[in-house]
Amino acid sequence: MAFFKVNHRSTRSKARTGEITTHHGRIQTPAFVPVGTKATIKAIDPQFIKQLGIQLSFVNTYHLVTHPGADILEKAGGVHEYGKLNIPLMSDSGGFQVFSLAGTKRAKVRGDDQVGRFNTANTEPSLSVVTPVDSARKLNENEALVVKISEDGVTFRSFYDGSLIEFTPEKSMEYQQKIGADMMMAFDECTYYPATHDYALESMNRTHAWLLRCISKVRSEEWKNKQKYQQYLYGIIQGGTFEDLRTTSAKFIADKDVDGVAIGGVSVGEKKEEMRKQISWVAPYLPDHKPVHLLGVGQIDDVIELVHTGIDTFDCVEPTRVARMGKIYQWSLIEKGFETHNFSNDGIDVMKGKYKDDLSKLDEDCTCYVCVNFTKSYLHHLLKQRELLGYSLASYHNLLIMERLMTCLRVMINQDQI
């Protein structure tokens, strides 16, 4: 059976519905992909994943390699078995985290919200040895994590124990094979923001060269002999904020022997207008017969806007991250957005004092477990007191609303409404 098929193309835009078929299940597209960075969707018990309607999740190769380690995941039978994530999974290549940490000190990356955050200083990563590459040792608090960046790949120290880890295109593929995700991202350099045209060009060329090595690895007989089931490779479009580079990269990636195409580097510091403009540049060159994934974008207004350009899947931490901060999506506000074409207001901040004694439903237009059983006051109380249940309930609701939105979008596309 084909990996991807288009079921319907809208007559009003490039929006389309389709189906992705993997060893671990099928995904109806367009689909939102909650991020399960460390083999867990934050605050969500795996038994609730299918109940929420989540079709696909996104795991992080960099973090899983640093802990618990790719070999442990392989022994466990892969990340699906290890984390009881019984749905199809995507894995990134590790490129975003490695390059975002190129100038980052260990003291700044201990918390989950800091790891992988881009350094937006206008300084170009150095393709040179930064610190001696000798052996595993305890890290100094002020020591850079990345010790060497070269055309071959990257060597860095684990922020857990200081051990050396090497990422090359081939290594990234090997790690992802051991992790066992159904869809893998090619190893790329996610260009820092704002980069110069010269550096963005150099970075794009490096990403393209690395893609060819990834393709060679996963098409080899050695790879085929090791794989337990089909894993699909996505090439990643890069090019920074420059139209000529973005279109060049889109043409290059779409023409190569990849199973899917991903758009990368559009969520590392740009404003919404810049991000959407970059996607509009590559939209004409996106393949008709392959799934298209947008990396790191998941705000509701962006998802609604960008399905028009032919994006099939979106991954982002947004719904669960804002849930932990007290933002609770409201279906009535999303529906109002469709009427007014303004999606800037899609939720309430339940942390505000006015909700302390508000005993109304969390969302009047939702019948999920959370909304049927708990009030705004209770969520306010839990989150103010930093009770873990609050993070779980808020995340559950927000993810369910995202799935409800994607179902709605698929219906609207099939009816040529968008």
Side-chain angles (χ1 to χ4, degrees):
M1 184 171 290
F3 169 52
F4 176 68
K5 68 174 182 178
V6 176
N7 292 328
H8 180 78
R9 301 180 192 276
S10 174
T11 59
R12 299 183 61 178
S13 69
K14 287 179 65 69
R16 61 190 186 179
T17 57
E19 183 176 85
I20 296 172
T21 302
T22 74
H23 177 77
H24 289 95
R26 297 180 181 178
I27 304 108
Q28 301 302 315
T29 63
F32 180 73
V33 188
V35 173
T37 301
K38 302 175 184 178
T40 172
I41 300 175
K42 283 192 185 299
I44 298 296
D45 189 312
Q47 68 177 314
F48 297 132
I49 289 176
K50 287 192 175 180
Q51 184 182 115
L52 285 165
I54 296 171
Q55 304 183 79
L56 175 65
S57 186
F58 196 92
V59 299
N60 187 289
T61 298
Y62 172 91
H63 288 293
L64 293 176
V65 167
T66 54
H67 199 281
D71 290 339
I72 291 175
L73 287 168
E74 184 178 36
K75 288 178 183 177
V79 69
H80 292 88
E81 182 62 28
Y82 191 67
K84 303 304 178 187
L85 299 169
N86 297 314
I87 55 172
L89 297 174
M90 285 181 162
S91 55
D92 68 357
S93 69
F96 177 87
Q97 283 72 28
V98 167
F99 283 93
S100 69
L101 294 174
T104 305
K105 303 296 188 291
R106 180 175 182 248
K108 296 180 180 179
V109 295
R110 296 306 299 271
D112 288 346
D113 290 337
Q114 293 294 329
V115 174
R117 182 173 292 178
F118 239 75
N119 175 6
T120 56
N122 192 15
T123 55
E124 297 179 357
S126 173
L127 291 175
S128 62
V129 175
V130 180
T131 57
V133 185
D134 45 18
S135 60
R137 57 178 169 77
K138 187 176 181 180
L139 280 171
N140 181 290
E141 288 293 311
N142 292 316
E143 185 176 352
L145 290 174
V146 173
V147 297
K148 183 180 181 181
I149 304 175
S150 70
E151 295 296 344
D152 187 56
V154 182
T155 303
F156 63 95
R157 293 193 181 279
S158 166
F159 57 85
Y160 289 104
D161 59 14
S163 60
L164 286 174
I165 301 174
E166 182 184 33
F167 267 77
T168 64
E170 294 79 11
K171 284 284 187 182
S172 176
M173 293 296 98
E174 290 171 10
Y175 292 144
Q176 291 185 72
Q177 185 178 61
K178 291 179 178 180
I179 288 169
D182 301 272
M183 291 163 270
M184 310 173 296
M185 297 293 156
F187 191 57
D188 67 321
E189 177 179 351
C190 186
T191 312
Y192 71 95
Y193 176 84
T196 63
H197 187 279
D198 286 346
Y199 189 82
L201 173 61
E202 179 184 343
S203 174
M204 180 195 73
N205 288 335
R206 187 176 302 120
T207 289
H208 291 176
W210 285 352
L211 172 62
L212 298 179
R213 290 166 58 184
C214 290
I215 292 172
S216 179
K217 180 70 175 179
V218 303
R219 305 302 182 219
S220 68
E221 287 301 317
E222 175 191 18
W223 178 277
K224 293 176 183 177
N225 291 335
K226 285 185 177 179
Q227 68 178 4
K228 296 178 181 178
Y229 46 81
Q230 182 69 49
Q231 292 175 282
Y232 298 95
L233 178 66
Y234 281 62
I236 302 179
I237 297 169
Q238 291 289 356
T241 58
F242 303 98
E243 182 174 4
D244 62 325
L245 300 184
R246 282 283 172 183
T247 55
T248 296
S249 187
K251 293 175 184 178
F252 181 91
I253 301 298
D255 185 56
K256 294 299 174 283
D257 182 20
V258 292
D259 303 296
V261 171
I263 304 171
V266 298
S267 58
V268 296
E270 300 95 325
K271 295 179 180 179
K272 281 181 179 288
E273 296 77 14
E274 294 175 317
M275 177 268 289
R276 293 180 181 180
K277 183 166 60 176
Q278 290 169 37
I279 294 169
S280 71
W281 292 338
V282 304
Y285 309 102
L286 298 176
D288 286 334
H289 59 292
K290 296 178 181 180
V292 177
H293 182 77
L294 180 56
L295 287 155
V297 174
Q299 292 188 355
I300 286 176
D301 59 333
D302 291 330
V303 171
I304 292 170
E305 177 70 23
L306 295 172
V307 294
H308 291 75
T309 65
I311 305 297
D312 300 298
T313 50
F314 306 76
D315 81 89
C316 196
V317 299
E318 181 77 5
T320 52
R321 183 184 69 84
V322 299
R324 298 194 302 274
M325 298 167 61
K327 181 177 180 180
I328 309 299
Y329 293 155
Q330 302 287 290
W331 184 252
S332 61
L333 296 179
I334 295 172
E335 282 192 316
K336 186 176 180 180
F338 280 110
E339 296 172 3
T340 63
H341 302 288
N342 179 6
F343 296 93
S344 59
N345 183 13
D346 52 36
I348 61 170
D349 182 0
V350 79
M351 296 281 277
K352 289 184 176 180
K354 67 180 181 178
Y355 295 111
K356 183 178 181 180
D357 61 355
D358 188 338
L359 298 176
S360 64
K361 286 178 60 175
L362 196 64
D363 181 349
E364 294 293 341
D365 294 292
C366 182
T367 58
C368 76
Y369 165 79
V370 179
C371 292
V372 167
N373 290 284
F374 304 105
T375 64
K376 295 183 179 76
S377 176
Y378 186 56
L379 262 291
H380 172 90
H381 161 66
L382 291 178
L383 294 172
K384 279 291 187 179
Q385 296 300 309
R386 299 184 180 179
E387 286 289 343
L388 299 183
L389 178 60
Y391 303 142
S392 181
L393 295 178
S395 297
Y396 182 103
H397 170 77
N398 278 5
L399 288 172
L400 185 137
I401 292 296
M402 284 300 299
E403 293 304 326
R404 185 174 176 180
L405 170 65
M406 300 313 297
T407 298
C408 179
L409 290 174
R410 290 193 292 270
V411 169
M412 293 178 73
I413 293 169
N414 284 333
Q415 296 178 351
D416 297 316
Q417 295 178 17
I418 60 175

